[in-house]
Amino acid sequence: MKDKLKKMPKTWLDNLITYGMVIIVFLLVQMFISRGLVSNLLQGLLVPLCVYVILAISLNLTVGILGELSLGHAGFMCIGAFSGAFFSKVMADIITVTAVRFTLAILVGALFAGVFGFLIGMPVLRFRGDYLAIVTLAFGEIIKNVVNALFVGVDSRGFHFSLKDSMSLGLEADGDVIIKGALGIIGTPRNSNFTVGIVLVLITLFIVLNLINSRDGRAIMSIRDNLIASESIGINVTKYKLMAFSISAALAGVAGVLYSHNLNSVAATPKNFGYNMSIMILVFVVLGGIGNIRGSIIAAVVLTLLPEMLRGLNNYRMLIYAVVLIAMMLFNWSPQILAWREQHSIKDFLRKRRKVQ
Amino acid sequence: MALLSVNNLSISFGGLRAVDDFNIQIKKGQLYGLIGPNGAGKTTVFNLLTGVYRPDEGIVLLDDKNITNLKTMDINKCGVGRTFQNIRLFKKLSVLDNVKVGLHNRFHYNTFEGILRLPKYRRLEKMMNEEAYRLLEVFDLDGEAKLSAGNLPYGKQRKLEIARTLATNPKLLLLDEPAAGMNPNETKELMETIRFVRDNFAMTILLIEHDMKLVSGICEELTVLNFGKILISGETNAVLNDSRVITAYLGE
């Protein structure tokens, strides 16, 4: 009995490889930067990379762990980005310590996105079927368009909202328009940097990986594998679906805050918070392997860097991108390659080496 | 006193009376069989008992508690566990995790304790592992604990499903055709397992079965369903020799 307990599945080793991978990449990049080996273009990509990695991990929680399809993840990112930036702008003079303000902004972004995830999930996740995909698809578009038309100002009397223009806010002389419709929020403090990004990636990983390997995570995965059986052994299906989806939305909100604090201004355009963005995150998740957190990270990094690295090749760029997409798809989904990977996995390699020692 | 007492249970799907005036009394510790030809409504009865369908009429009492219109998960919490005719395991989870999901409502720690790996998490996870291994040993599955459930051979999948249900600590176990698709050897082994479960877990069992050998070998009492109606209820041998039962199965 006892030695059996010692031979528990070594999920922690698996997780350790994932954390280690992120930290090693971080250290390598820092080393290259200090030696001046990293171009400005690449340095500018570091924070967006962290944003995409967080988004991919969080979407994998919904798609891979919960088994529901979300097509509006960029919408939650949008909510996080705007609520976080709004908080930072309003509190710029009140909380002067950057670290505290930025931490709070991240929490605010996560909270708002999480609440929206909860509100959307509450009616939809009671159904069985692909309703979540349809509703989140609509939600992503609606949020983007609403934010595009939203004007929010603040003066001594408090906050003012309008969907028309900044004049109709009726601000007093001391007032300030914070969200300017299609112009978005101008003048967000640029608090994001690569280190903060990596810390947030690690926190996201910590939350998601530990959740998966806990009582709640098992319940969530049991719903994915067989909803009827899960109910029959007393799992509160709606509760755990909502929990997973809200956490996923909140983490997307964190990515949004990181994104908005990396720019001087943030506006909702189809490019950053639109449908294409949602699909791109989904591509990271699918090509990285559904339910495979480490795979999502790698896919997000590779597929973000690739088009930038290949800029010199002009027209051939998208051709190579397409070939890489196909190669990754084969690597993660072809039965033969999966069998080969099972035989030659890093985990087994490490285990064998330890036995030899 | 009866552990499970079902009175006048009925449900219609459209114009079809799938189950009509179903009554059953099962005493504690009993091994009760529910048999009948294909389409007689046996699985529908299970679905009614576990809240998958809401009955049109009738009352289900478990230990004198009315569980008629409760949700599936609440009925399980009241003490009814079931298995499925077509095995429903959590295929991508490991064998051990399948049982640990079954232990879900018996070991409570909240999400934060889980994510932050607080001492309560470690303590309860250890207890869950011990309890899960104890159950797996009973079913001779402890060697496969780390395999994913979908990779188990058929007979073991059936066993795992029973182990997972027992993990919820039910008072009443509903087995839906546990011997379906098993060869004679596996069926014999299953009979032993079912008896063992009844004796060692002090379990009351209601099972649906087609295999007459299994039914006559272990069930003390039987109810025969035909076209949604009870044909006959009573002691096993008397029921199996009844001419009406033979007619229902073999025709005139």
Side-chain angles (χ1 to χ4, degrees):
Chain A
M1 182 88 190
K2 247 203 177 142
D3 56 335
K4 251 176 233 145
L5 284 180
K6 269 184 201 157
K7 278 190 278 172
M8 288 302 300
K10 294 278 184 252
T11 38
W12 63 265
L13 181 63
D14 213 23
N15 295 349
L16 212 65
I17 295 175
T18 313
Y19 292 123
M21 189 180 78
V22 174
I23 292 169
I24 288 171
V25 167
F26 171 69
L27 293 177
L28 282 178
V29 169
Q30 291 294 35
M31 204 173 78
F32 288 142
I33 289 177
S34 64
R35 300 232 175 123
L37 290 169
V38 182
S39 67
N40 276 338
L41 176 79
L42 207 55
Q43 281 201 37
L45 265 178
L46 292 175
V47 175
L49 263 181
C50 295
V51 171
Y52 293 141
V53 167
I54 295 172
L55 284 169
I57 298 170
S58 78
L59 186 62
N60 211 336
L61 182 59
T62 300
V63 176
I65 308 302
L66 175 63
E68 295 274 349
L69 189 55
S70 164
L71 294 177
H73 224 53
F76 296 113
M77 179 191 171
C78 180
I79 290 176
F82 275 87
S83 52
F86 184 81
F87 177 86
S88 286
K89 188 113 195 272
V90 172
M91 292 294 170
D93 302 325
I94 301 167
I95 307 172
T96 45
V97 187
T98 315
V100 175
R101 191 183 60 227
F102 191 38
T103 311
L104 286 174
I106 288 167
L107 291 177
V108 167
L111 182 75
F112 269 77
V115 166
F116 269 87
F118 184 81
L119 290 177
I120 286 178
M122 204 158 49
V124 180
L125 289 171
R126 288 172 192 277
F127 293 111
R128 290 163 200 189
D130 291 328
Y131 298 100
L132 189 71
I134 302 161
V135 172
T136 47
L137 174 61
F139 165 77
E141 291 303 296
I142 291 169
I143 278 296
K144 191 192 73 199
N145 289 320
V146 167
V147 169
N148 248 328
L150 184 68
F151 290 84
V152 180
V154 62
D155 62 13
S156 51
R157 288 176 298 155
F159 295 116
H160 300 265
F161 299 90
S162 164
L163 285 170
K164 271 205 253 145
D165 49 42
S166 50
M167 294 311 289
S168 53
L169 289 171
L171 292 179
E172 286 178 5
D174 63 337
D176 186 13
V177 187
I178 295 176
I179 301 182
K180 292 180 183 139
L183 292 175
I185 299 179
I186 297 166
T188 19
R190 291 192 59 176
N191 299 134
S192 298
N193 57 44
F194 186 45
T195 313
V196 174
I198 286 290
V199 168
L200 288 177
V201 167
L202 288 174
I203 291 174
T204 308
L205 267 180
F206 181 81
I207 291 174
V208 172
L209 291 178
N210 282 2
L211 178 74
I212 294 173
N213 294 311
S214 75
R215 174 176 172 267
D216 297 324
R218 280 192 298 269
I220 292 166
M221 289 188 287
S222 80
I223 296 168
R224 169 196 69 189
D225 280 6
N226 203 316
L227 189 137
I228 292 173
S230 185
E231 272 182 331
S232 87
I233 54 171
I235 304 289
N236 189 342
V237 169
T238 308
K239 174 185 157 187
Y240 284 106
K241 275 181 169 180
L242 259 179
M243 179 195 283
F245 188 62
S246 307
I247 292 176
S248 170
L251 292 174
V254 171
V257 180
L258 188 64
Y259 175 84
S260 62
H261 287 71
N262 188 41
L263 306 163
N264 284 324
S265 68
V266 52
T269 64
K271 205 174 148 237
N272 56 6
F273 300 130
Y275 176 65
N276 285 343
M277 180 63 162
S278 296
I279 294 299
M280 199 169 80
I281 307 165
L282 190 65
V283 167
F284 298 155
V285 172
V286 173
L287 292 186
I290 289 179
N292 180 350
I293 303 292
R294 199 189 312 151
S296 316
I297 301 177
I298 297 171
V301 171
V302 170
L303 294 179
T304 311
L305 283 184
L306 202 68
E308 300 297 332
M309 304 293 253
L310 298 175
R311 240 171 228 291
L313 296 171
N314 294 328
N315 291 336
Y316 294 107
R317 187 161 70 111
M318 292 324 277
L319 185 70
I320 293 174
Y321 188 78
V323 170
V324 170
L325 282 187
I326 294 170
M328 286 178 79
M329 195 160 62
L330 287 175
F331 183 72
N332 275 314
W333 294 99
S334 146
Q336 284 97 337
I337 295 177
L338 283 181
W340 183 87
R341 281 172 61 189
E342 205 134 284
Q343 283 166 7
H344 300 84
S345 76
I346 307 172
K347 257 183 293 172
D348 280 356
F349 179 70
L350 288 177
R351 226 173 257 166
K352 266 178 220 153
R353 279 196 48 170
R354 229 185 318 162
K355 264 182 202 157
V356 171
Q357 287 165 358
Chain B
M1 196 203 73
L3 176 74
L4 180 77
S5 156
V6 180
N7 295 307
N8 188 27
L9 200 66
S10 305
I11 189 172
S12 302
F13 298 119
L16 176 78
R17 198 86 169 148
V19 174
D20 191 11
D21 195 18
F22 181 82
N23 295 286
I24 204 170
Q25 309 286 327
I26 302 178
K27 289 192 232 52
K28 202 167 181 341
Q30 212 173 12
L31 234 164
Y32 202 108
L34 180 62
I35 64 171
N38 286 333
K42 304 178 295 289
T43 300
T44 308
V45 168
F46 269 27
N47 284 338
L48 287 170
L49 294 182
T50 53
V52 176
Y53 303 140
R54 296 278 161 92
D56 296 338
E57 294 164 50
I59 291 180
V60 182
L61 297 175
L62 183 80
D63 251 350
D64 284 334
K65 188 173 180 260
N66 189 347
I67 59 165
T68 316
N69 283 315
L70 295 182
K71 285 186 199 155
T72 306
M73 67 167 197
D74 293 321
I75 289 179
N76 175 267
K77 284 180 190 165
C78 289
V80 180
R82 77 171 289 187
T83 65
F84 296 87
Q85 189 173 355
N86 45 345
I87 304 175
R88 289 180 179 274
L89 287 174
F90 307 130
K91 286 186 179 161
K92 287 185 202 156
L93 297 189
S94 71
V95 170
L96 182 70
D97 280 351
N98 265 269
V99 178
K100 279 166 89 177
V101 178
L103 295 171
H104 186 86
N105 287 323
R106 288 169 60 195
F107 297 86
H108 286 275
Y109 60 80
N110 64 36
T111 316
F112 292 104
E113 285 162 337
I115 289 178
L116 297 176
R117 294 283 191 262
L118 296 182
K120 194 175 176 190
Y121 163 87
R122 287 171 202 283
R123 203 178 68 239
L124 286 182
E125 280 289 312
K126 196 166 165 260
M127 281 164 69
M128 283 171 113
N129 280 333
E130 278 166 7
E131 179 72 17
Y133 263 111
R134 201 177 60 81
L135 270 167
L136 287 177
E137 265 169 25
V138 168
F139 290 90
D140 195 25
L141 285 164
D142 48 324
E144 283 97 344
K146 279 180 277 178
L147 283 184
S148 52
N151 290 340
L152 284 182
Y154 188 80
K156 296 209 164 190
Q157 292 199 5
R158 286 259 173 226
K159 283 182 170 181
L160 177 58
E161 212 188 14
I162 299 176
R164 183 184 70 191
T165 310
L166 285 177
T168 65
N169 210 7
K171 296 174 193 162
L172 173 71
L173 185 60
L174 308 178
L175 300 176
D176 197 346
E177 293 204 32
M182 284 189 169
N183 64 35
N185 275 337
E186 285 175 322
T187 307
K188 209 170 147 228
E189 207 191 314
L190 183 79
M191 275 169 72
E192 299 296 321
T193 314
I194 293 175
R195 268 209 205 94
F196 181 87
V197 166
R198 199 262 308 259
D199 297 340
N200 282 45
F201 291 82
M203 195 59 61
T204 311
I205 299 174
L206 170 62
L207 87 158
I208 292 177
E209 195 43 76
H210 268 307
D211 193 314
M212 282 305 160
K213 225 184 207 165
L214 186 122
V215 170
S216 56
I218 61 172
C219 293
E220 291 135 7
E221 271 189 61
L222 290 183
T223 286
V224 185
L225 267 184
N226 197 19
F227 297 116
K229 284 196 169 72
I230 291 183
L231 202 61
I232 183 173
S233 288
E235 196 253 327
T236 302
N237 281 332
V239 169
L240 288 181
N241 291 323
D242 192 281
S243 60
R244 282 173 295 172
V245 177
I246 297 167
T247 313
Y249 267 92
L250 301 174
E252 301 275 345

